[in-house]
Amino acid sequence: MIKVLVNGAYGRMGRTVLNAVINDNELELVGAVDVIGGADTGEISGNKKNGIIIETDLSKALETHKPEVMIDFTQPNVVFNNVITALKHKVSPVVGTTGLSDEAKEEIRKTSEENDTPVFIAPNFAIGAVLMMLVSKQIAKYMPDVEIIELHHDKKLDAPSGTAELTAKMITEVRESHQQGHPDEVEKISHVRGGNVDGIRIHSVRLPGYVAHQEVIFGGLGQTLTIRHDSTGRDSFMPGVLLACKKVHQLKGLTVGLDKLLD
């Protein structure tokens, strides 16, 4: 059994993670942390009370419960410190919180290597989203003109999504950099053409009713090709989260992207 602590346990995603871990016969929930403490993890995740109470001090919980893996679904402004804290306790983080800068990831990589403790980060844990990214990379070799539209719930703090950023990065690996659209186009409203990643435009939508969705639209002479992935519930991320918990200790240093764990 792999001992797991869930950080960000009281939130909507945290409760879904708690339920998945509790009901997996290869994982053992040993602790939970959130800024809101006191709740029984079994009860708030739709299971029977289990006596594992959400705590508020991450460092103390890591020291007390000695988990092997920390699952983190918190917020962009705290995730870096959470990961560094876990690594210094030699606990492997499995991170779904997005918003980490390249500089932060490099510091995480360094700390991971110094403590000989692997860390795994995935912008999206949905298997379908990973397949969307992999297929997009293949298509971009033949249809290099592409734009990305990502749509999320209105409570999401960072834009664009980590999935959109990683999709764009993967596409840039197989196509030459170039600006899309008319060279003399004019934005009559600032940023109406979206963000620009090596010529790829990314558009972010934030509205109530959405969970996590993305369209990758390719354009060519006389044709378009659209790939869309929809997560209609947070349970769509759980198979990927559980897979990462079981495989993280087979890794070295920092690994980013669920595609790295797929056969």
Side-chain angles (χ1 to χ4, degrees):
M1 297 282 280
I2 300 170
K3 295 181 178 180
V4 176
L5 180 143
V6 177
N7 194 26
Y10 198 81
R12 288 174 293 180
M13 182 62 80
R15 297 181 191 212
T16 306
V17 172
L18 286 173
N19 180 61
V21 172
I22 288 170
N23 288 287
D24 190 286
N25 58 16
E26 296 180 50
L27 305 178
E28 178 188 2
L29 180 69
V30 297
V33 175
D34 203 298
V35 292
I36 301 173
D40 183 279
T41 55
E43 187 173 38
I44 68 166
S45 61
N47 297 280
K48 295 179 180 179
K49 284 188 175 183
N50 56 20
I52 300 173
I53 305 302
I54 296 178
E55 303 170 50
T56 57
D57 188 324
L58 176 60
S59 183
K60 182 179 179 181
L62 292 169
E63 182 66 32
T64 301
H65 304 297
K66 295 180 170 44
E68 298 165 79
V69 174
M70 177 193 75
I71 303 174
D72 189 289
F73 279 94
T74 53
Q75 294 187 3
N77 63 330
V78 297
V79 61
F80 174 77
N81 288 335
N82 294 341
V83 171
I84 296 299
T85 298
L87 290 172
K88 288 182 177 179
H89 284 83
K90 296 192 179 297
V91 176
S92 288
V94 168
V95 183
T97 308
T98 56
L100 285 164
S101 66
D102 290 339
E103 293 77 13
K105 289 176 185 176
E106 185 56 37
E107 186 63 28
I108 287 170
R109 183 190 304 278
K110 179 182 176 182
T111 307
S112 171
E113 293 171 353
E114 288 174 350
N115 289 275
D116 193 27
T117 303
V119 53
F120 180 80
I121 299 173
N124 197 316
F125 277 98
I127 302 296
V130 175
L131 295 174
M132 171 189 62
M133 289 186 276
L134 291 172
V135 171
S136 294
K137 184 176 181 178
Q138 293 302 311
I139 294 171
K141 296 176 183 179
Y142 309 99
M143 300 180 74
D145 289 288
V146 55
E147 300 206 6
I148 299 169
I149 304 173
E150 56 96 351
L151 311 94
H152 283 76
H153 56 88
D154 59 336
K155 304 302 181 185
K156 184 171 176 60
L157 295 178
D158 57 319
S161 69
T163 302
E165 284 191 283
L166 184 55
T167 303
K169 180 178 181 297
M170 292 171 68
I171 289 173
T172 63
E173 293 171 359
V174 299
R175 74 162 211 170
E176 293 184 4
S177 174
H178 68 280
Q179 298 301 311
Q180 299 174 170
H182 196 286
D184 297 323
E185 72 178 10
V186 176
E187 287 187 322
K188 294 190 292 183
I189 300 175
S190 182
H191 307 304
V192 72
R193 287 286 288 121
N196 190 327
V197 178
D198 200 34
I200 301 169
R201 297 290 183 167
I202 301 179
H203 311 268
S204 296
V205 176
R206 296 291 178 267
L207 287 170
Y210 284 120
V211 178
H213 316 260
Q214 180 168 294
E215 290 186 7
V216 187
I217 307 173
F218 296 89
L221 185 62
Q223 62 183 319
T224 62
L225 174 60
T226 301
I227 301 173
R228 178 173 174 123
H229 177 261
D230 297 280
S231 283
T232 56
R234 290 171 178 80
D235 53 350
S236 65
F237 307 118
M238 294 308 104
V241 172
L242 299 178
L243 177 66
C245 287
K246 296 168 187 177
K247 288 195 171 186
V248 64
H249 286 114
Q250 300 174 21
L251 307 173
K252 294 289 185 182
L254 169 64
T255 301
V256 179
L258 193 63
D259 58 296
K260 309 299 192 305
L261 301 185
L262 301 181
D263 295 330

